[in-house]
Amino acid sequence: MVFFGSILFFCMITILIYQGFVKLQNRLNQVWLNPMLFSVITIIALLMWFQIDYHTYQTNSQIITWLLQPAVVALGYPLYQQLHSMRSQWKSITILLTISASLVVIISFLFTYIITKEYGISVSIALKSITTPIALAITEQLNGNQAVTAFAIILAGLFGALMGVPWLQLIGVKSHKAQGIAVGAASHVLGTATISQLSFQHAAYGSLALIISATITAIISPAIIHQLMVMLS
Amino acid sequence: MPAPLYSIIVILICLFAGYGINFAVGGLPPSLYGMMLFTISLHYKLIDDKTVANSISWTLKNMGVCFVPAGVGIIEHYDLVRSHGIAMVIITFVTTWLLLTFVGWTVQQQENKKAR
């Protein structure tokens, strides 16, 4: 009973804090007041304040993390709604995302390797643009550092979630389709979840882009990173 | 059957089928196979789209909370963050920004061309 009680306690706290920030954001209408980011900061502060071990929090809040999986399945709905309008375009989207995914893996890996001289970290940073489960699987396959991958994925996700749409608006990228594809490709599920609140088109193209990007990166990144290491050594 | 219950059941069926595909052929994670199956099932009318609509928009509105526990995990890697943190953050931000700009701008150009 004690065990069940603590699961309930940590899940309720997480949801309440998150909902609190959602309400606050709705009232103040500020983009930077991202509920995800501020919930993370608040919970870290609370854990440190009450000297609660992270593992205690993690094991008791696992259900919330697991719920991400059915939520990802739900992203298939906006995808379905846009299916008819996408059919003629998905070839060109795939070509574009193959180019962009290759470039981002090459650039991220090279820069990180030159600066840190650490192979593990470089692999992790190279894979940060795709959805967590795939990125972690490839990181393991290429002997990268899984903790860094998880960390970099959240950073990339938050960046796209917070800055993505405002920045794209600023440079004249105004179509919902372009914004959705860009955020889905650069900031995976986290970015897509955030922009899904804007319109169903954002959600649909974001989901499409994140699926294609993740699939392509899973296929090409082992070969690219292997080739880069041969060239560097 | 009430709509939310129907939605939960069909989503879980897709997810578990996703686990099956992942187990059989590997490759993508179960949830992404599940997403594809969900899309296909809706397309071929195996799932009624009107029944699931409300539950889906509720889910999409609230799914951000699912990232919070993983995000809190950053405190586990304090040492790593201290030694390479700044470089990691800068490279991640710059490359993410490049990717966003490149993809967004290219699609927008295609859209503009079509509109003309």
Side-chain angles (χ1 to χ4, degrees):
Chain A
M1 265 330 268
V2 176
F3 189 54
F4 178 73
S6 59
I7 289 180
L8 204 65
F9 174 75
F10 282 103
C11 289
M12 285 305 286
I13 289 284
T14 308
I15 293 169
L16 283 176
I17 290 175
Y18 182 82
Q19 281 304 325
F21 280 112
V22 170
K23 291 252 154 62
L24 195 66
Q25 189 186 35
N26 286 345
R27 179 165 297 177
L28 300 177
N29 209 7
Q30 298 288 329
V31 188
W32 56 267
L33 199 68
N34 183 279
M36 221 147 26
L37 179 63
F38 279 84
S39 306
V40 168
I41 295 171
T42 309
I43 292 170
I44 288 179
L46 286 175
L47 292 182
M48 286 164 118
W49 183 286
F50 293 103
Q51 300 192 338
I52 300 166
D53 184 48
Y54 169 67
H55 289 282
T56 312
Y57 175 71
Q58 192 206 24
T59 40
N60 286 305
S61 59
Q62 243 164 15
I63 295 178
I64 296 181
T65 309
W66 188 84
L67 282 175
L68 187 59
Q69 297 197 38
V72 169
V73 174
L75 280 170
Y77 189 85
L79 199 58
Y80 149 76
Q81 289 201 309
Q82 299 292 327
L83 216 53
H84 58 281
S85 64
M86 280 175 183
R87 202 166 276 170
S88 55
Q89 315 161 356
W90 83 278
K91 233 184 217 162
S92 64
I93 295 175
T94 307
I95 293 170
L96 172 66
L97 293 180
T98 307
I99 298 169
S100 65
S102 316
L103 284 176
V104 86
V105 169
I106 294 170
I107 295 172
S108 313
F109 185 87
L110 279 181
F111 268 104
T112 317
Y113 193 78
I114 289 165
I115 291 171
T116 65
K117 296 266 178 266
E118 298 241 19
Y119 171 79
I121 296 182
S122 311
V123 169
S124 300
I125 304 284
L127 298 171
K128 63 173 187 313
S129 309
I130 59 171
T131 187
T132 313
I134 302 186
L136 289 182
I138 310 170
T139 308
E140 198 179 13
Q141 190 192 331
L142 297 174
N143 298 316
N145 183 328
Q146 289 195 323
V148 180
T149 308
F151 174 68
I153 287 173
I154 292 172
L155 278 182
L158 275 176
F159 184 83
L162 295 175
M163 305 291 296
V165 172
W167 165 250
L168 291 169
Q169 290 277 10
L170 194 73
I171 59 166
V173 176
K174 296 213 159 65
S175 102
H176 291 179
K177 176 186 162 189
Q179 293 181 350
I181 294 177
V183 173
S187 302
H188 50 87
V189 182
L190 209 156
T192 305
T194 311
I195 62 163
S196 292
Q197 296 155 18
L198 298 175
S199 76
F200 258 58
Q201 247 190 338
H202 280 101
Y205 282 104
S207 317
L208 182 72
L210 83 88
I211 294 176
I212 297 177
S213 291
T215 314
I216 290 168
T217 307
I219 296 167
I220 59 167
S221 59
I224 290 180
I225 288 174
H226 180 76
Q227 201 57 41
L228 287 175
M229 282 313 284
V230 171
M231 280 162 61
L232 284 167
S233 56
Chain B
M1 200 191 297
L5 186 65
Y6 176 79
S7 312
I8 292 171
I9 291 173
V10 293
I11 284 180
L12 287 181
I13 290 174
C14 289
L15 181 60
F16 288 127
Y19 269 94
I21 299 175
N22 172 272
F23 181 75
V25 296
L28 300 175
S31 58
L32 286 194
Y33 283 128
M35 184 209 272
M36 291 178 204
L37 286 174
F38 190 50
T39 310
I40 294 167
S41 311
L42 283 162
H43 183 71
Y44 289 105
K45 311 277 175 227
L46 298 172
I47 296 170
D48 183 48
D49 58 349
K50 285 189 190 69
T51 317
V52 296
N54 282 332
S55 309
I56 297 292
S57 43
W58 182 86
T59 307
L60 297 185
K61 212 174 274 170
N62 293 297
M63 73 184 281
V65 71
C66 301
F67 293 94
V68 173
V72 175
I74 288 174
I75 51 171
E76 280 281 272
H77 311 297
Y78 181 71
D79 288 338
L80 214 95
V81 171
R82 206 172 47 180
S83 48
H84 293 297
I86 294 174
M88 279 160 40
V89 171
I90 291 175
I91 295 169
T92 302
F93 279 1
V94 170
T95 49
T96 304
W97 172 78
L98 278 174
L99 188 56
L100 256 175
T101 311
F102 173 71
V103 175
W105 191 82
T106 312
V107 179
Q108 184 71 47
Q109 293 310 308
Q110 290 172 344
E111 293 279 280
N112 292 351
K113 226 179 270 172
K114 226 181 293 163
R116 243 174 256 154

